[in-house]
Amino acid sequence: MRRLLIDAAHTLVPPNGDRHGPLPPLLLTLTVVTGLVDAVSYLALGHVFVANMTGNVVFLGFALAGAEGLSAWASLAAMAAFLVGAVAGGRFGTRFADHRGKLLASATTLQALLVSVALVTVLVTHDRLAAPGRYVLIVTLALAMGLQNAAVRRLGVPDLTTTVLTQTLTGLASDPGPAGGAGPRPGRRVLAVLSMFLGALAGALLLRSGTGAVLGVAVALLVVAAVVTRLSSVPGAGWVRP
């Protein structure tokens, strides 16, 4: 337990000279964003995910089998937009291959703009989303999450993918770290799971006040992440190197 708490503390407040610098707490912030936007997509846009593509593949199969309440077109739109966003994230990764700070700052800035488009759509339609508005949200949010997923993958911070928790949970259960053994980063894994959970919980609760409330919080978190990343990317910072 002591090791888990120490690891969690170092993830939230990285010690001086840490290889990944401020990236762990920033990626936990993006994990919260994932929970928020998937709460919007699943609960408000008709049972579709914009970040969890495994879920969309399964939903597509269900929809094609005739399951009620699912849309094959919505799942396809989300997956296609996610892939386009991932391509963009890959381009960012190539362009800023030698500077992880610029990579994350640029990706989160564009991601904030995409989520802002979704927010404006909700505000303009007064949260009454017909089919066109619904697909605008699905596409823009999936673009944003594909971009995030690809950029985070290039950053290479262990156990902080921000969108997928299956391997994190598997490692948490199968490695001996939580029991006090030699398993790596148990606290970081727990924080990743909690961040996703809290994002989803907050998203579901905020939806009672409207979709715009959830997207507004997501945009605010992305802006904060972009600003903090830029401010932390000082010349000579060791963590910016790949």
Side-chain angles (χ1 to χ4, degrees):
M1 178 61 71
R2 180 174 179 273
R3 184 173 183 275
L4 186 151
L5 293 175
I6 292 174
D7 181 57
H10 286 172
T11 299
L12 292 171
V13 184
N16 291 334
D18 184 86
R19 167 71 182 90
H20 299 294
L23 289 176
L26 288 169
L27 297 189
L28 288 175
T29 302
L30 296 186
T31 306
V32 173
V33 171
T34 298
L36 289 168
V37 298
D38 259 347
V40 168
S41 65
Y42 186 82
L43 298 175
L45 301 180
H47 294 177
V48 62
F49 286 116
V50 294
N52 180 4
M53 290 302 111
T54 302
N56 276 331
V57 172
V58 174
F59 285 167
L60 179 60
F62 291 165
L64 292 176
E68 295 183 2
L70 297 172
S71 168
W73 289 114
S75 293
L76 286 171
M79 288 189 288
F82 185 92
L83 290 174
V84 173
V87 170
R91 296 289 178 86
F92 274 116
T94 300
R95 181 176 180 181
F96 302 114
D98 60 345
H99 200 294
R100 295 196 296 175
K102 291 181 179 178
L103 168 58
L104 182 60
S106 300
T108 50
T109 298
L110 179 54
Q111 190 179 356
L113 291 174
L114 288 167
V115 180
S116 295
V117 171
L119 175 58
V120 170
T121 301
V122 169
L123 297 177
V124 168
T125 61
H126 302 288
D127 218 350
R128 297 183 180 89
L129 295 170
R134 175 170 167 257
Y135 276 94
V136 168
L137 260 67
I138 290 173
V139 169
T140 53
L141 293 177
L143 282 169
M145 299 314 297
L147 172 66
Q148 174 180 305
N149 200 60
V152 169
R153 184 171 180 270
R154 288 296 187 102
L155 292 174
V157 181
D159 295 314
L160 290 174
T161 66
T162 76
T163 56
V164 180
L165 292 181
T166 302
Q167 292 300 320
T168 302
L169 286 167
T170 301
L172 189 60
S174 62
D175 290 345
R185 299 175 294 274
R188 178 179 296 182
R189 291 170 174 173
V190 170
L191 287 174
V193 174
L194 285 176
S195 296
M196 185 81 77
F197 168 77
L198 291 175
L201 176 62
L205 293 173
L206 286 170
L207 272 175
R208 299 175 182 177
S209 300
T211 308
V214 188
L215 295 179
V217 172
V219 170
L221 290 175
L222 289 169
V223 170
V224 169
V227 171
V228 171
T229 303
R230 290 189 185 278
L231 292 177
S232 302
S233 301
V234 295
W239 66 270
V240 303
R241 296 191 299 271

